[in-house]
Amino acid sequence: LDSLLQETICDMRIMLRGSVLAYDWFKSGEGQGLLAHLTHPATGLRRMYGCMEYPGIPPSIECIEYKLFMLGDAGAGKSAVTAWLAGLPTWNKQAGESPGLRVTTIYWPAKIGKTIILFKLNVWDCGDGAVKKYGHLFPACKEGALGVLPVFSCTDRNSWQDLPDLLQRYIQPTDTITPIVVGNRHTTDMDSAVVTAQEMAEFEKSRGIPVVTVRNQTNTGGPPSIPEVAPALNTICEQLYIASNRSTHSVNV
């Protein structure tokens, strides 16, 4: 019965992905109009906001705030993924490990049913060395978080194979934390891929955890466009919205 329940939970997660949030809404006139408030008119890049700042959008639009944190071994690209999601032009310029803790605020608009919602994502990113040196940092990242973004590198087979152990080490079955796995340095070149799309699809099906991908930094140095980053941000926001409206949920790690 327990195994059947776990399979049902997995099927529900996969089924719900894309069924709650309108993934192409950002392309509509309504979506583009709202995104214009979040981008710089001169550069077309998304604006950066501090934790106390708020975009100039109509007050009638509901804002839902979530905390989530990055998880992964040193070198997996946690900081690059965070900067990519935020639309930073220097997202692929990170050199070495992050020295401490950084919180990045990301705003993303979406439509659920007939309601427009502005999601505010507070992403906590802490360097692996800092976590090991200062015992209070990881508990601080985890405290009050609804989501976690475990990161693996699509160019590193070991980081993919270590993913289940990473989840088991840091996320307990009793935690009310929703994981969305991120595959960094993804490439569509099947000859050079060490983690295939089929493997990621099988992981999603067996564990009920969505996987989103970030392109390989060496392909181009430009910041991610709205259409490029939209699938990842839509998936993250949708999964957190589902989790926040579920009375109880478990993590199948």
Side-chain angles (χ1 to χ4, degrees):
L1 181 60
D2 289 342
S3 61
L4 179 61
L5 178 60
Q6 289 293 344
E7 290 177 3
T8 303
I9 292 172
C10 290
D11 291 342
M12 285 179 63
R13 284 181 180 272
I14 299 302
M15 179 182 66
L16 287 171
R17 186 182 186 186
S19 65
V20 175
L21 188 148
Y23 273 43
D24 289 333
W25 172 80
F26 75 93
K27 299 177 183 178
S28 68
E30 190 177 45
Q32 290 294 305
L34 193 53
L35 282 167
H37 290 280
L38 304 176
T39 56
H40 195 284
T43 64
L45 301 177
R46 278 182 290 154
R47 296 178 184 271
M48 284 298 298
Y49 295 91
C51 61
M52 301 299 292
E53 293 180 302
Y54 192 76
I57 64 168
S60 58
I61 296 177
E62 179 185 5
C63 181
I64 300 179
E65 184 172 357
Y66 296 129
K67 175 185 176 180
L68 57 160
F69 63 98
M70 308 301 294
L71 184 63
D73 294 331
K78 299 185 292 297
S79 296
V81 168
T82 303
W84 186 84
L85 292 172
L88 296 179
T90 57
W91 70 279
N92 61 340
K93 304 299 183 182
Q94 177 80 15
E97 185 180 334
S98 297
L101 173 64
R102 177 185 299 154
V103 180
T104 302
T105 298
I106 302 170
Y107 285 99
W108 182 251
K111 193 168 189 178
I112 297 178
K114 296 182 179 181
T115 304
I116 298 175
I117 296 175
L118 182 66
F119 289 95
K120 180 181 180 181
L121 307 177
N122 296 313
V123 184
W124 290 49
D125 173 29
C126 191
D128 192 56
V131 168
K132 294 176 180 177
K133 185 175 181 179
Y134 304 105
H136 65 282
L137 286 181
F138 183 75
C141 290
K142 191 175 179 181
E143 183 181 9
L146 183 64
V148 58
L149 301 180
V151 179
F152 73 93
S153 172
C154 293
T155 60
D156 181 3
R157 185 74 187 174
N158 289 333
S159 69
W160 166 253
Q161 293 174 333
D162 291 343
L163 191 58
D165 181 60
L166 182 72
L167 289 167
Q168 287 182 337
R169 285 202 315 267
Y170 292 105
I171 309 300
Q172 305 303 315
T174 54
D175 288 335
T176 55
I177 296 177
T178 297
I180 303 100
V181 170
V182 181
N184 189 29
R185 307 185 183 104
H186 181 255
T187 177
T188 55
D189 183 5
M190 297 303 296
D191 293 332
S192 61
V194 298
V195 181
T196 66
Q198 181 180 353
E199 287 178 301
M200 288 186 275
E202 290 174 352
F203 178 91
E204 284 192 337
K205 184 176 180 180
S206 64
R207 296 185 177 272
I209 301 175
V211 179
V212 298
T213 56
V214 175
R215 63 173 155 89
N216 197 320
Q217 291 96 311
T218 59
N219 291 344
T220 173
S225 64
I226 294 293
E228 183 184 13
V229 78
L233 285 174
N234 280 333
T235 299
I236 293 169
C237 292
E238 182 179 50
Q239 293 302 308
L240 296 179
Y241 181 83
I242 292 170
S244 66
N245 287 277
R246 187 187 299 129
S247 56
T248 58
H249 64 286
S250 61
V251 177
N252 181 30
V253 297

